[in-house]
Amino acid sequence: MPPRDTLARVDADLAAGRIPVARQRLRGLVSSFPDDLTLRRRLAEVYRLYGEPAEAGRWMYLEQDRDAAETAAFEVRYHTAPQRMRALAWRGPESLARTTFAGEQLAAVRAACSEAMGRPVDWDTVPSGETAGSGKGAFAGFLATAGCVVAVLALLAFLAIWVNGLVALFD
């Protein structure tokens, strides 16, 4: 469906009070057309209807006339550069940005993320939120491994009890 048709549906949804449906349609459009700042602005307007300044700030982050309070709320919610990079949902190089300000913002976020990760990153391979050497990744990995070991042991205990019951049934 062409973007203008989807935008017409968004307008109809908003007029009918179907704000969640309009939001989902706009999220889909932004996902398909991440370089369209007009779509991002429309999505920010919908989040303002929800009273979500952090999300409004997220989608207005590339606009020069953005609201400072919304931008601050976005930066608090997504406090690391990798989190911001993922949240902005941009694809491709900064040169696709339709304004100089947007390109500068994208370049600054990518540079901060590269610094935090200790290696160059780009918008097509957005890294996870963990920074190299933060220690959180190692602890999370340990917890995941421990959880898997406990699950396997519980399964083995269940199977042992089940086999024991089966043997006792036929004795």
Side-chain angles (χ1 to χ4, degrees):
M1 175 180 304
R4 80 172 170 274
D5 293 347
T6 304
L7 285 172
R9 287 182 177 213
V10 166
D11 291 337
D13 290 332
L14 290 172
R18 295 186 302 262
I19 297 171
V21 176
R23 180 190 52 138
Q24 283 305 109
R25 288 186 202 281
L26 283 167
R27 290 287 304 257
L29 280 174
V30 169
S31 177
S32 297
F33 304 99
D35 60 329
D36 190 331
L37 300 180
T38 304
L39 296 175
R40 288 172 176 267
R41 181 178 292 273
R42 294 279 312 266
L43 186 53
E45 291 168 3
V46 169
Y47 275 108
R48 283 187 196 107
L49 295 173
Y50 276 113
E52 283 279 344
E55 289 302 308
R58 172 185 182 181
W59 299 111
M60 285 293 290
Y61 199 73
L62 303 178
E63 297 283 356
Q64 193 162 7
D65 64 340
R66 64 193 184 179
D67 180 88
E70 290 175 349
T71 300
F74 166 71
E75 290 174 343
V76 166
R77 180 173 290 172
Y78 301 96
H79 60 281
T80 67
Q83 288 174 337
R84 285 187 196 136
M85 195 169 174
R86 266 194 326 282
L88 289 174
W90 186 264
R91 287 193 313 264
E94 290 97 13
S95 61
L96 294 176
R98 296 183 183 181
T99 66
T100 303
F101 183 81
E104 291 169 353
Q105 287 297 111
L106 291 166
V109 170
R110 185 179 49 77
C113 186
S114 293
E115 184 178 325
M117 298 302 294
R119 62 181 169 77
V121 297
D122 62 38
W123 289 99
D124 293 323
T125 56
V126 177
S128 71
E130 298 302 325
T131 59
S134 69
K136 292 180 181 176
F139 184 67
F142 168 76
L143 287 178
T145 302
C148 289
V149 168
V150 168
V152 167
L153 290 175
L155 179 62
L156 289 175
F158 172 76
L159 286 174
I161 292 169
W162 184 78
V163 168
N164 189 31
L166 193 60
V167 168
L169 182 66
F170 290 109
D171 270 352

